[in-house]
Amino acid sequence: SQCLQGSIVIHENKNNLMEEAFRMLRTNLLFLLEGNQKVVLITSSRPGEGKSFVSGNLAVSLAYLGKKVVIVGLDIRKSGLNKVFGINSHLPGITDYLSQPEEHSLTDLILPSGISPNLDILPRGSIPPNPTELIARPALEKAIGELKKQYDLILLDTAPVAMVTDTSLISRVANIGIY
């Protein structure tokens, strides 16, 4: 797999403390989601608290359960997702779609994880000059709507909630939040 050594700690058919912790989180999450709810927002208070680590490993855990999962890099000022999965930070992604939805196919921006055929990644994309305004656009609802047709679960790796208003704006498209 292409991910950074040590970032993804969940492996198929393994049983250690870390795997069990993510299984417990996965079980609780699936219990809390109702009906056709699919969108999970992951955040914390400050940078460096492990949002991308938790997002990535939870996504892998869900994929191993047989769920079709996409993880979206919505911490658009400083994406940790690119590091977790070893993705080039210069690749186009969600920000490119949000800034020009008529010029980008969302499906073309999605990358296979290289870890599980059930797990895809929609990277951050280029850093925009106007992150908050970009996230406030109706294109975000459109993107999530498209992803809902293709995936069982959509995990949104977002910015620290205490630092910027981005995550509060993103929460409008989420069914549940993990803090």
Side-chain angles (χ1 to χ4, degrees), residues 47-48 51-52 74-83 124 127 157-160:
K51 290 172 294 301
S52 300
L74 277 171
D75 184 348
I76 58 180
R77 295 163 200 263
K78 188 179 182 289
S79 177
L81 209 54
N82 293 58
K83 288 192 189 96
R124 173 194 66 204
I127 301 174
D157 184 48
T158 68

Side-chain angles (χ1 to χ4, degrees), residues 75-79 89-91 95-96 124-131 134:
D75 184 348
I76 58 180
R77 295 163 200 263
K78 188 179 182 289
S79 177
S89 59
H90 300 295
L91 287 175
T95 56
D96 301 281
R124 173 194 66 204
S126 40
I127 301 174
N130 56 342
L134 202 60

